[in-house]
Amino acid sequence: MHRILQIIRYNVLQRGLYGITSPLRITPDFIVIGAKRCGTTSLYHYLGEHPCIKRSSHDHLGFFDDNFHLGIQFYRSFFPTILEKKYLESKEGKCLTYDVTSSYIYNTTAAERIFHALPHVKIVVILRNPIDRAYSEYNLDRELNPHIETFETLVNKEIEEIQTNNSTTENERHTFDSNKKNYLRRGLYYDQLKHWFNLFPRENILILSTEDFATDANEVFNTIFKFLNLKSFLINKPERLRKGTYPKLGNKMRERLTDFYSSKNMQLYKMIGKDLGWERSEEHTSELQSRG
């Protein structure tokens, strides 16, 4: 009874007309699953500019991890209606919609829920050099809490924990401890993505890099459009959103973290069939740090 009342509360009282009309709404054709501080906000903002794409009402819906208990109709309430889809199809030939939630990538339960609910959905992943990703997240946290421990202190503690536990996460489900920042664990992409590759066909997963986005954003967007079987489209002046500016990471710490990530990066490159060049990406560091 409690669950039923909760579903009514969120679908009708919170979502209002969107919740009431949820049975008349569609589910996403593709999902951007992460990673955090890699450019997912920019993807959410700009992908909807393509004439054949309609975005969800907002990003980071978190349905398949935090809100799954509210039911699929709650999820539908964030997407366009069937009539909107038919209208756009009549006008442009296709209509696709999408969910962008960066927390999905490391949650194997979310991956399984998505596969069972939407087995043919396409998966888009954007990854950043894990060192720069961790440092970016730390500096975002430092803006909110100037008294936070130094990056070096927190990273050294996390390395020690990982080596002591001999695991990449707090448990086999890859659910991170909410009381810890997990700066380094979130960059162990191979461990997070291998479950997705076991569930979904390889041709339904697209891997992108933040470094490529910094070099030529429109090339990245058109790679996505091609993956979705859509026509090319030029986004007007795309850029990374949620930028931040902070000091450059020291060479000694960068070298240590390069060694820390080396073997996992190699496993990732082998799995995705692409060398992302993070061991050679020093020239991107200054620009990406200015972008956040």
Side-chain angles (χ1 to χ4, degrees):
M1 178 61 70
H2 174 73
R3 183 173 180 273
I4 293 174
L5 291 175
Q6 192 176 44
I7 290 174
I8 293 173
R9 174 191 170 193
Y10 281 93
N11 277 277
V12 179
L13 300 181
Q14 186 183 82
R15 295 298 297 152
L17 180 62
Y18 298 101
I20 294 171
T21 59
S22 61
L24 304 177
R25 295 178 178 274
I26 60 178
T27 53
D29 301 278
F30 65 101
I31 300 178
V32 180
I33 65 171
K36 185 177 181 180
R37 300 304 295 164
C38 294
T40 55
T41 298
S42 300
L43 293 188
Y44 171 78
H45 180 79
Y46 289 112
L47 283 170
E49 292 191 13
H50 191 287
C52 295
I53 297 178
K54 290 186 72 68
R55 63 171 65 94
S56 59
S57 59
H58 58 82
D59 60 346
H60 301 293
L61 298 177
F63 172 73
F64 288 101
D65 46 17
D66 295 335
N67 298 310
F68 191 70
H69 60 287
L70 296 177
I72 196 68
Q73 299 306 330
F74 174 77
Y75 188 50
R76 286 178 179 272
S77 73
F78 294 94
F79 296 100
T81 65
I82 295 172
L83 288 178
E84 288 178 295
K85 177 181 175 69
K86 289 183 177 179
Y87 172 75
L88 195 59
E89 286 177 336
S90 68
K91 182 181 177 182
E92 300 290 345
K94 283 190 175 182
C95 175
L96 304 181
T97 189
Y98 59 100
D99 173 0
V100 176
T101 302
S102 61
S103 59
Y104 289 158
I105 186 173
Y106 57 79
N107 192 317
T108 55
T109 299
E112 291 162 8
R113 288 169 173 170
I114 291 171
F115 178 73
H116 290 299
L118 306 168
H120 303 297
V121 75
K122 290 194 171 184
I123 304 297
V124 176
V125 191
I126 184 165
L127 304 176
R128 181 178 186 177
N129 184 321
I131 301 171
D132 298 323
R133 193 222 67 79
Y135 193 50
S136 174
E137 184 180 3
Y138 168 78
N139 279 282
L140 180 65
D141 290 341
R142 191 174 63 173
E143 288 182 14
L144 302 174
N145 177 17
H147 303 294
I148 191 173
E149 292 182 277
T150 66
F151 182 70
E152 289 77 7
T153 298
L154 293 173
V155 161
N156 287 334
K157 287 181 180 179
E158 191 171 354
I159 290 176
E160 184 177 348
E161 290 173 1
I162 291 172
Q163 292 175 342
T164 299
N165 296 335
N166 194 29
S167 66
T168 61
T169 60
E170 294 300 318
N171 58 56
E172 294 180 355
R173 307 301 291 176
H174 296 275
T175 300
F176 298 129
D177 186 338
S178 60
N179 295 317
K180 298 178 182 179
K181 294 308 300 184
N182 302 294
Y183 293 119
L184 299 188
R185 290 178 176 88
R186 292 186 191 278
L188 294 166
Y189 305 129
Y190 169 78
D191 297 297
Q192 298 164 37
L193 285 173
K194 61 185 179 181
H195 191 65
W196 293 88
F197 276 82
N198 287 334
L199 287 172
F200 291 88
R202 176 63 185 87
E203 61 269 20
N204 283 4
I205 302 177
L206 176 65
I207 306 294
L208 308 165
S209 83
T210 310
E211 291 77 19
D212 287 342
F213 188 95
T215 301
D216 190 338
N218 261 300
E219 183 176 349
V220 169
F221 282 120
N222 277 304
T223 297
I224 298 173
F225 299 148
K226 183 178 180 180
F227 172 66
L228 300 173
N229 298 313
L230 297 177
K231 60 186 178 183
S232 297
F233 182 77
L234 184 66
I235 304 294
N236 184 32
K237 297 181 179 179
E239 61 180 32
R240 285 280 313 279
L241 303 179
R242 299 184 67 184
K243 299 177 183 178
T245 302
Y246 41 85
K248 181 180 178 181
L249 180 65
N251 290 335
K252 185 176 180 180
M253 177 54 65
R254 178 170 290 276
E255 289 173 4
R256 184 179 188 198
L257 292 180
T258 296
D259 291 338
F260 172 80
Y261 280 117
S262 179
S263 63
K264 286 297 183 181
N265 285 347
M266 293 304 108
Q267 287 179 293
L268 173 70
Y269 298 165
K270 182 177 180 180
M271 182 175 69
I272 67 177
K274 181 180 179 181
D275 185 339
L276 298 177
W278 290 329
E279 289 70 24
R280 305 184 302 277
S281 63
E282 187 69 27
E283 65 271 17
H284 292 288
T285 300
S286 296
E287 180 181 3
L288 285 173
Q289 284 183 348
S290 69
R291 289 172 176 262

